[in-house]
Amino acid sequence: MPTSNPEIQPQLVASVDSGQANQFNWGSIQWLFSGGRIDGAQITFGYVEIESGQKNPRHYHPNSEEVLYLLEGELNHSLDSEVVYLKAGDAIFIGQNVRHDAFNPGAVTARMVVAYPTGDRQAVMLEEGRDD
């Protein structure tokens, strides 16, 4: 049975907690790891929920690529002018500066994890709605 190790810093372990998530009219984002959470981190990793019938604002990342892995639900994910359908278990690669957003056409909340190869993920919003 695992035991707690007092040498492991608490910020090296994160759990999804709706009380810690940034809430929006379309869903929520909780940043589990980033350069702001762990000094010098070179990755940003988060948990995102998009409610049924909702979409996040169209945006792009000027300083990094993104990988999204859909845990539950379904999404119509736009990449510039193309739309890709995702179901639970699918992952999508989003290149740097690619304009994108995701619409949840399903009956259940879409739940996903997202990762960026930088501790300082930047987003340029092209529509109303915050994404931080």
Side-chain angles (χ1 to χ4, degrees), residues 10-59:
Q11 72 266 28
L12 299 181
V13 177
S15 297
V16 172
D17 176 354
S18 60
Q20 298 295 315
N22 297 314
Q23 301 293 324
F24 305 98
N25 61 348
W26 50 266
S28 64
I29 300 176
Q30 182 181 351
W31 299 116
L32 299 168
F33 297 105
S34 68
R37 181 173 156 93
I38 299 175
D39 209 22
Q42 295 299 305
I43 189 168
T44 298
F45 183 78
Y47 174 78
V48 180
E49 292 185 347
I50 298 178
E51 300 297 329
S52 175
Q54 299 295 314
K55 71 176 255 344
N56 65 336
R58 191 161 178 80
H59 62 283

Side-chain angles (χ1 to χ4, degrees), residues 10-129:
Q11 72 266 28
L12 299 181
V13 177
S15 297
V16 172
D17 176 354
S18 60
Q20 298 295 315
N22 297 314
Q23 301 293 324
F24 305 98
N25 61 348
W26 50 266
S28 64
I29 300 176
Q30 182 181 351
W31 299 116
L32 299 168
F33 297 105
S34 68
R37 181 173 156 93
I38 299 175
D39 209 22
Q42 295 299 305
I43 189 168
T44 298
F45 183 78
Y47 174 78
V48 180
E49 292 185 347
I50 298 178
E51 300 297 329
S52 175
Q54 299 295 314
K55 71 176 255 344
N56 65 336
R58 191 161 178 80
H59 62 283
Y60 67 94
H61 306 287
N63 71 325
S64 72
E65 301 165 331
E66 175 181 358
V67 171
L68 177 154
Y69 178 77
L70 190 58
L71 300 165
E72 181 179 354
E74 57 186 305
L75 293 173
N76 290 327
H77 202 289
S78 74
L79 299 168
D80 286 331
S81 61
E82 187 178 342
V83 177
V84 178
Y85 174 76
L86 302 174
K87 63 186 180 321
D90 288 344
I92 188 169
F93 173 85
I94 303 157
Q96 184 173 336
N97 291 315
V98 172
R99 279 102 175 115
H100 62 281
D101 59 12
F103 171 72
N104 178 354
V108 301
T109 300
R111 293 177 169 84
M112 66 211 79
V113 292
V114 293
Y116 308 82
T118 176
D120 179 30
R121 166 201 167 272
Q122 298 170 6
V124 175
M125 306 311 290
L126 301 171
E127 295 176 337
E128 288 288 320

